[in-house]
Amino acid sequence: MRTESAEITVQDGRTGLLAGDLNEFRDHLASLTGDRRRSESMGREARDYVAGSHSIDVRAQQLEEILRAA
């Protein structure tokens, strides 16, 4: 759903689809189930985003940088 936190973490149309209401959510779901190529592409993009921004290795590096600066 289109929320403030979702808009920060999801690149609409690239790493996921944001919906303003339940009907739009259903439309997005139907669109993705009917387009395997797009679904797989968005899945890869989302996985790459999470791995590059939210993985345990990234978090450990961020903590190390914070501790060095302190």
Side-chain angles (χ1 to χ4, degrees):
M1 300 305 293
R2 187 175 299 278
T3 63
E4 189 173 331
S5 61
E7 289 182 352
I8 291 170
T9 58
V10 175
Q11 295 174 341
D12 195 25
R14 183 171 174 219
T15 62
L17 297 172
L18 298 174
D21 60 32
L22 189 55
N23 287 330
E24 189 175 12
F25 176 80
R26 287 180 184 136
D27 291 344
H28 287 330
L29 189 57
S31 171
L32 288 175
T33 58
D35 188 344
R36 184 178 189 108
R37 183 182 211 177
R38 183 176 185 207
S39 178
E40 288 175 349
S41 174
M42 290 176 85
R44 280 190 303 275
E45 291 286 340
R47 181 187 60 231
D48 292 347
Y49 167 75
V50 170
S53 302
H54 301 287
S55 72
I56 192 70
D57 292 334
V58 169
R59 293 293 180 227
Q61 182 179 13
Q62 291 170 334
L63 287 172
E64 287 174 0
E65 290 172 11
I66 290 169
L67 291 172
R68 271 184 251 150

